[in-house]
Amino acid sequence: TLWLLASDGGVCRMRGDVLEEIAQDRNAVAVAAHGDRIATAHDDGISIGTRWFPTASGVLDLIASPDGRYLIAAHGDGTISVRRFTDGALVATLRGHRQRVAQLAFLPDGRLASAGWDGRVHTWDLGVLEIPAAHLVASAERAWALDLAMALRR
C-alpha cells in the first residue's frame, strides 16, 4: 500500500494498479508505523480508514504513536484525545492547555509533547495508560500520605 498526499489536500491509497481517494479537506494526516492504517483529521471529527468519529471541537493535528497502537489528536478546545488506532476507541483525554493545542510530536524517550496557543509545551507519559487504574490510585494515595505526614512534622 502506498499513501499519497495530493497538493489539493486529498489523501489517496495506491494498491497495485488501483488508485482510490480516501479523504478530502483534511486538517492533518497520521499513518501507523507499519503503514497499514491511516487517519485524517477534519473540523468536525476524525476518520480512521472508513470509520468516522465526530468531535466536539476541531482537530488541528494528528499523530500516530511510534508503535502504531494509539492515534493522538490535538483539539481546538485545548484537549488531546488518545484513541486506539485499531478500532478508534477513546482511551484517554489529556487536559492541561488553556487554549488550542496546535502541534503534537513524540520525543526520543517516547513521551508525547504538545504545544498550545497558550504558549505552553507539555509532555505526557502515555505509558501510564498500561497501568491498571487501581494501581495508579494506590500509588497516588501513598504519595499524598507521605506529603501530608512530612507537612505535619514541620
Side-chain angles (χ1 to χ4, degrees), residues 11 28-32 37-42 46-49 62 71 85:
V11 178
V29 176
V31 178
R37 290 182 300 278
I38 190 168
T40 55
H42 306 267
I46 298 169
S47 174
I48 302 175
L62 204 57
L71 176 68
F85 215 147

Side-chain angles (χ1 to χ4, degrees), residues 5 8-11 22-31 38-49 51-55 57-64 71-76 81 83 85 101-102 104:
L5 305 177
D8 66 355
V11 178
I22 303 297
Q24 276 290 341
D25 300 324
R26 47 91 187 138
N27 295 346
V29 176
V31 178
I38 190 168
T40 55
H42 306 267
D43 289 337
D44 56 351
I46 298 169
S47 174
I48 302 175
R51 297 184 67 191
W52 179 253
F53 300 92
T55 59
S57 67
V59 181
L60 304 176
D61 196 16
L62 204 57
I63 191 171
L71 176 68
I72 300 95
H75 296 273
S81 62
R83 295 181 178 274
F85 215 147
V101 180
L104 302 167

